[in-house]
Every structure is written in C-alpha cells, then in structure tokens.
Amino acid sequence: AMFWFVDSRGLITADRGDKLAEHKVYFARHDNNGVQCKTLEDTLEYVKPTALIGLSTIHKAFNDRILKRMNEMNRDARPIIFPLSNPETKAECTFEEAMQCTNNRVLFASGTAFPEYTIPETGEERVPGQGNNMYVFPAIGLGAVLCKPEWITDTMIYAVAKALANSRNKDEVARNELYPRIERIREVSAQLAAAFIRQAVREGLAQDPEYKDLVKQDGGCEGSAPDGTHGEIVLAAVSKRMWHPAENFEQLRECCPHHHHHPKVSAEGSQSSL
C-alpha cells in the first residue's frame, strides 16, 4: 500500500519548501515530481486514492465534495472512508453523510460510534464499523499476561489484526460488516488472545511452559507467518482464564474466595459475619 499524508499545509512532500516537523519527515513523499498540493481536494485529484483515513480532528474535513469525488474515482471498487477522529464533534464525517454521498457504496469505519443507517429506497439497514482499539487491546493484554512473552513484536500485533478480520461470522460477512458485532466482543477477544499466544510461541518468545505446550498440542508451532489463526485447545484455556463480571451481589459472594471476610448487613442495619 502507498500512503500519502496531508497536514494543514497540504500534501507532505520532501520538497514542499517548509521545514517539516521531525515526526513528518519519515512520511514525506519523494516521488511527487515537484507537484505540490495545498488542499485535500488537490491531493485527491493528484493521488486518486482508494481509501481516505481521517486523523485530523477537524469536523467535516471530509465534506460532501470530497466524499462524492471519492465515489467517482472508485467505480470498480467501493470507496474506503475511515473518519477516525473522535469524539463525534471532531469526526471528519458521519456514517449517514458517507452513505448518502457514495450511493450507499462506502466501506466505512469511524473512531466514534455512529447509528445504523437505513437506505430510504430499500429499507435495508447498514451498520457502521467502529475502528478503535476495543477489540485488540484487551486481547493483546490478556495474551501477554497468559503466555508471558519476552517482548511484544509487531508481528504479534499483526496476527491479532488478522484474527480480528477472520473472526466475522457468516451473517456479518453476508451483511458486508467490517467488524464483528459488539455483542460478540468477549467471544472475539478470546479468539484474538489465542492468536496472540500462538504467534508468541511460534516466534520463540513465549515463556510460560503451559501455553507453549498447549500450542504444541494444537499443532500450531510450525511456521512464523502471522496468519491470525488459533487452536481450539488454546482457545478453551484462554476462555477459562477470562474475567467474568458478577451479575449480582449473591453471585459475587459465591465466587469470591474470601467471601467470609465481607460483612453481611441485616435489614435492621446490624452486621454479621458471612
């Protein structure tokens, strides 16, 4: 993939004429052949991108003209629009705007949550993707706690990203949803943590002998490519180690190993030992 970055002064190039901030130097283009684009609109016409990712925190930066032009430029494939800035007051566009300006063709993910959109002509409901860290970060943390890698590599994180892409069920795929439904987040988190553990073992960095052995039992030690797969044995072990919230106080007392230390308050207000 080729990335072209735009800041408040336009397309970031090595020969733009201004002194680039240190963090922008790495991303500056050297293949622009002297072309300078001062606006996002100019950049679209020069680059003709397939995807537009917003990290600007500028509300409405992806206006109707930008969205419609992205749709026109991507006739053979659906335009990808990711306004990732949040909260909503800083989002580059809304899901509704992206749908309306692309004839409902957009592949959309946002940093903030937007409501579903109903296509007026057909009554079909479309669900926007929310592209933040709510799926992957808990899974990475859980996987690291369990298998205790010496360090966390980029390929472990990539394996988790692949596992997230693989986690959609048939219904979510049929509905062209980019992410699994939020109602399945615990199920998906377990799958992602299991994929993290398999990758850590494959790279020889996992230190916990139990999980090294479980991955071996699953037959997942071969290769090192971060394919995002996991085995059922590791998945079952991960699921057992996940934290489950108590639904009520009585359930909390029953599962707490030191419940006898907690006082029980009677209806009259006096305390007695449990």
Side-chain angles (χ1 to χ4, degrees):
M2 296 179 64
F3 293 88
W4 303 73
F5 289 80
V6 178
D7 63 10
S8 59
R9 296 187 179 183
L11 181 65
I12 299 176
T13 63
D15 59 350
R16 193 167 69 174
D18 60 326
K19 181 175 176 56
L20 295 175
E22 184 177 350
H23 66 278
K24 297 180 182 180
V25 173
Y26 177 82
F27 300 104
R29 302 297 306 198
H30 294 262
D31 56 353
N32 55 306
N33 299 315
V35 175
Q36 307 301 331
C37 302
K38 295 184 178 181
T39 66
L40 180 57
E41 289 92 337
D42 292 342
T43 304
L44 253 63
E45 296 302 326
Y46 177 63
V47 176
K48 294 180 172 52
T50 56
L52 198 56
I53 300 175
L55 305 167
S56 67
T57 69
I58 298 175
H59 189 52
K60 304 292 186 183
F62 299 167
N63 56 41
D64 288 2
R65 295 191 309 276
I66 294 290
L67 295 172
K68 290 178 179 178
R69 190 68 182 117
M70 280 292 293
N71 189 49
E72 293 169 356
M73 289 178 173
N74 293 278
R75 292 296 187 190
D76 297 329
R78 296 167 64 187
I80 301 168
I81 308 292
F82 284 9
L84 298 182
S85 297
N86 56 45
E88 185 178 347
T89 54
K90 296 183 182 295
E92 288 79 9
C93 70
T94 67
F95 183 47
E96 180 180 13
E97 291 164 348
M99 288 288 286
Q100 291 176 346
C101 291
T102 62
N103 297 322
N104 309 315
R105 298 176 61 239
V106 67
L107 285 171
F108 182 94
S110 57
T112 191
F114 284 109
E116 296 182 1
Y117 176 77
T118 302
I119 300 175
E121 295 79 9
T122 64
E124 179 187 354
E125 283 192 346
R126 295 281 183 86
V127 179
Q130 189 174 356
N132 64 23
N133 59 24
M134 62 184 176
Y135 284 106
V136 299
F137 272 22
I140 292 171
L142 177 59
V145 167
L146 295 179
C147 75
K148 301 178 177 60
E150 295 179 42
W151 59 83
I152 296 174
T153 64
D154 289 346
T155 42
M156 292 178 200
I157 295 174
Y158 184 76
V160 171
K162 287 279 289 184
L164 177 59
N166 295 338
S167 69
R168 294 182 303 158
N169 60 30
K170 291 181 179 179
D171 179 61
E172 291 156 352
V173 172
R175 290 169 59 90
N176 291 316
E177 295 176 10
L178 294 185
Y179 293 91
R181 291 295 183 97
I182 189 65
E183 293 84 1
R184 296 201 305 117
I185 191 168
R186 290 183 63 85
E187 170 193 344
V188 171
S189 292
Q191 295 173 13
L192 270 54
F196 176 94
I197 291 170
R198 170 174 280 194
Q199 186 62 29
V201 172
R202 281 178 167 178
E203 295 180 24
L205 294 174
Q207 299 180 92
D208 188 283
E210 176 187 357
Y211 283 91
K212 290 165 69 174
D213 182 61
L214 290 176
V215 171
K216 185 177 180 180
Q217 291 179 45
D218 264 331
C221 293
E222 293 79 14
S224 59
D227 55 13
T229 59
H230 65 271
E232 293 303 315
I233 296 175
V234 174
L235 178 60
V238 168
S239 298
K240 288 181 180 178
R241 297 294 298 275
M242 291 180 71
W243 175 77
H244 292 272
E247 295 181 0
N248 51 57
F249 182 68
E250 290 302 317
Q251 189 181 89
L252 178 63
R253 285 199 306 149
E254 291 173 4
C255 70
C256 180
H258 304 295
H259 68 271
H260 57 280
H261 292 159
H262 296 278
K264 181 177 183 179
V265 181
S266 68
E268 293 75 26
S270 61
Q271 294 184 350
S272 61
S273 177
L274 296 179

